């Protein structure tokens, strides 16, 4: 199997473009799933304090026997821990659970739009952690253009990453364009449109989309593989999630697939502009705040 390509972030740190995500993976399933991903060849693991499985991710990494320097670990600070001192302590909680001294990439999980001053204080803490060498790169998640512009107006370190919902049915071109203009890598969560088929609603599954199925058939691949390759060829990072071993392997087996420009354009044309996940502006402390346990 070919090696996963690296993306070079705006501070020179390199990161495998294709990562393995553990969103909604129960703690009791996380160790085995991450061990499978690492055996398969993943070297980039994405978790978050709010997922409740950082401790298990750390255990799986230690169990793997793979040198720590070979694994890129990404996690996120939850809104309950925003604020300068609180976010500094959030690093201690995450690093303690992961069992590591340095986090490769630390993100703010959401823009707290109802208290953006607290968001800015949290980002200042990320800048301080970066200056101290406790994190190798910092970034944000689910930041829309107004959020990103407000952050950039005061930030001294430009975010390396903006992790947002991106899949064929919801591509957020305005956010991607602003990211690119500022040297920020767009990282796709729900990259194969899982949000379109595991969340209640009238969304059609991207896996059953006739255009994607036709392109997959033409290349002798699966719809999921086509979507992941679409992300990689357009310069995005993608974080697919599965706990099923054969799907974990399948999602990584995209490195020798080459989509044509016409294929990419056909997938681009599927954008509906309809968000599958929650509107970031709706994420408030009143509705989503919850304490993050100590390490």
């Amino acid at each position: 199997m070919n090696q996963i390509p690296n993306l070079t972030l705006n501070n020179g740190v390199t990161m495998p473009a294709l990562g393995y995500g553990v969103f909604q993976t129960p703690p009791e399933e996380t160790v085995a799933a991450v061990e499978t991903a690492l055996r398969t060849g993943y070297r980039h693991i994405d978790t978050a304090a709010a997922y409740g499985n950082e401790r298990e991710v750390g255990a799986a990494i230690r169990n793997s026997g793979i040198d720590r320097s070979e694994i890129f670990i990404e996690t996120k600070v939850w809104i309950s821990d925003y604020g300068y001192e609180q976010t500094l302590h959030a690093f201690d909680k995450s690093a303690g659970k992961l069992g590591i001294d340095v986090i490769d990439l630390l993100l703010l999980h959401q823009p707290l739009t109802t208290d953006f001053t607290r968001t800015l204080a949290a980002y200042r803490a990320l800048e301080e952690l970066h200056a101290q060498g406790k994190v190798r790169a910092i970034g944000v998640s689910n930041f829309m253009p107004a959020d990103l512009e407000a952050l950039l107006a005061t930030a001294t370190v430009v975010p390396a990453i903006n992790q947002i919902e991106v899949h064929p049915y919801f591509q957020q071109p305005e956010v991607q364009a602003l990211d690119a203009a500022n040297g920020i890598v767009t990282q796709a969560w729900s990259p194969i449109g899982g949000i379109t088929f595991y969340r209640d609603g009238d969304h059609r599954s991207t896996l059953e989309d006739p255009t994607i199925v036709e392109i997959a058939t033409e290349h002798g691949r699966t719809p999921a593989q086509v979507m992941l390759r679409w992300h990689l060829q357009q310069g995005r990072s993608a974080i697919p999630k599965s706990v099923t071993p054969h799907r974990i392997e399948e999602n990584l087996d995209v490195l020798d697939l080459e989509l044509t420009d016409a294929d990419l354009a056909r997938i681009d044309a599927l954008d509906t502009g309809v968000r599958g996940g929650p509107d970031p502006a709706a994420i408030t402390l009143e509705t989503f705040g919850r304490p993050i346990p100590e390490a």
Side-chain angles (χ1 to χ4, degrees), residues 4 10 39 45-46 58 75 102 121 134 138 140 189 203 205 227 248 261 271:
I4 300 171
N10 56 20
R39 277 197 306 273
I45 308 297
D46 171 69
T75 191
V102 176
K134 292 183 176 180
I138 61 175
V140 295
W189 65 258
H203 308 290
S205 169
M227 287 183 271
I248 292 173
D261 289 344
D271 192 8

Side-chain angles (χ1 to χ4, degrees), residues 47 80 119 279:
T47 183
S80 307
T119 305
D279 184 339

Side-chain angles (χ1 to χ4, degrees), residues 7-277:
L7 291 170
T8 301
L9 305 181
N10 56 20
N11 65 351
V13 168
T14 58
M15 175 188 79
L18 194 60
Y20 176 72
V22 294
F23 172 61
Q24 289 190 332
T25 302
E28 61 273 15
E29 296 180 28
T30 300
V31 174
V34 173
E35 287 178 349
T36 297
L38 291 170
R39 277 197 306 273
T40 301
Y42 286 92
R43 291 297 181 267
H44 174 183
I45 308 297
D46 171 69
T47 183
Y51 298 171
N53 54 20
E54 288 174 309
R55 202 179 306 277
E56 290 73 22
V57 167
I61 289 169
R62 289 189 298 277
N63 293 348
S64 73
I66 299 168
D67 190 88
R68 165 70 184 95
S69 65
E70 296 182 28
I71 302 175
F72 190 94
I73 302 174
E74 172 179 0
T75 191
K76 311 175 195 74
V77 180
W78 187 238
I79 57 172
S80 307
D81 284 337
Y82 282 12
Y84 185 76
E85 295 296 337
Q86 299 95 314
T87 300
L88 291 177
H89 184 57
F91 166 84
D92 294 332
K93 291 196 282 189
S94 286
K97 290 171 189 168
L98 288 162
I100 59 179
D101 296 322
V102 176
I103 293 173
D104 295 297
L105 176 62
L106 186 59
L107 309 181
L108 297 185
H109 204 146
Q110 298 280 349
L112 189 56
T113 58
T114 54
D115 191 352
F116 205 72
T117 300
R118 190 179 300 201
T119 305
L120 294 176
Y123 193 78
R124 286 199 304 275
L126 295 194
E127 292 176 325
E128 177 61 24
L129 292 163
H130 182 258
Q132 292 178 9
K134 292 183 176 180
V135 296
R136 298 175 62 223
I138 61 175
V140 295
S141 180
N142 299 306
F143 272 52
M144 298 297 98
D147 309 318
L148 198 54
E149 287 171 343
L151 178 70
L152 291 171
T154 64
T156 59
V157 177
V158 175
I161 290 283
N162 187 12
Q163 186 187 103
I164 58 173
E165 178 185 350
V166 183
H167 49 77
Y169 287 174
F170 189 60
Q171 298 175 29
Q172 306 208 70
E174 298 85 0
V175 185
Q176 291 200 58
L178 186 58
D179 288 347
N182 287 281
I184 300 167
V185 169
T186 297
Q187 186 175 71
W189 65 258
S190 195
I192 61 174
I195 198 76
T196 67
F197 47 85
Y198 70 68
R199 188 178 288 272
D200 292 339
D202 57 1
H203 308 290
R204 178 173 64 182
S205 169
T206 48
L207 295 174
E208 299 170 356
D209 183 88
T211 297
I212 295 172
V213 169
E214 183 176 338
I215 293 170
T217 301
E218 289 169 357
H219 288 276
R221 297 299 186 109
T222 68
Q225 289 173 323
V226 164
M227 287 183 271
L228 290 172
R229 189 64 199 176
W230 168 70
H231 288 291
L232 296 181
Q233 286 186 221
Q234 293 189 335
R236 287 184 293 279
S237 170
I239 308 292
K241 173 263 170 113
S242 177
V243 296
T244 307
H246 80 268
R247 290 202 186 108
I248 292 173
E249 294 176 10
E250 174 189 302
N251 289 342
L252 192 62
D253 189 20
V254 298
L255 307 177
D256 58 352
L257 169 61
E258 192 69 22
L259 301 178
T260 67
D261 289 344
D263 293 333
L264 298 174
R266 290 173 70 194
I267 299 170
D268 287 345
L270 298 175
D271 192 8
T272 66
V274 177
R275 185 184 299 278

